[in-house]
Amino acid sequence: MLRSVEQRHATGSREDDPRVTELRSAVARLRRQLAAHPAEFPDRIIAEDELAALDAHAAGGNPEIPRLRRSLLLIAGAIGSVSALGRGLGEVRDAVDLFGPSPRA
């Protein structure tokens, strides 16, 4: 039986939300890239922990935009100078942006 979008959201099911799927995929790719990166750097553990937290938050089905952006900021700060991870970080940023535009001051 087919369900409409309204029915799916009314029941609280977010597993079919393409934004959540994209975010979790981007996080998984960056986690793999980080795990395969041979160099150690001071904030690596922060990046690993925050990627795990971001995935868990997205898996909860109703991610809060401020929490997503906070995690993104921490991850970017932790791996910012590791150019080999730049593309993966950009994919995570793009996935976070699917939930709403970045607030402008």
Side-chain angles (χ1 to χ4, degrees):
M1 175 179 194
L2 295 175
R3 294 184 297 173
S4 71
V5 172
E6 293 80 18
Q7 287 175 321
R8 185 173 36 236
H9 291 302
T11 62
S13 175
R14 304 285 272 180
E15 63 189 43
D16 293 333
D17 187 337
R19 300 172 305 167
V20 171
T21 302
E22 181 60 30
L23 178 58
R24 295 195 70 206
S25 295
V27 167
R29 284 190 299 272
L30 184 54
R31 289 175 86 180
R32 286 191 302 271
Q33 291 169 4
L34 183 58
H37 190 67
E40 287 298 320
F41 50 94
D43 294 331
R44 183 183 194 118
I45 191 75
I46 293 170
E48 291 170 346
D49 288 349
E50 204 56 39
L51 281 165
L54 185 57
D55 185 55
H57 190 65
N62 193 17
E64 300 169 10
I65 296 171
R67 175 69 174 106
L68 296 177
R69 296 216 172 272
R70 178 184 175 278
S71 290
L72 179 60
L73 181 61
L74 290 170
I75 294 164
I79 65 173
S81 65
V82 182
S83 61
L85 301 174
R87 182 174 181 192
L89 179 60
E91 291 174 356
V92 171
R93 184 195 66 233
D94 291 344
V96 168
D97 284 346
L98 294 173
F99 288 89
S102 178
R104 304 286 181 211

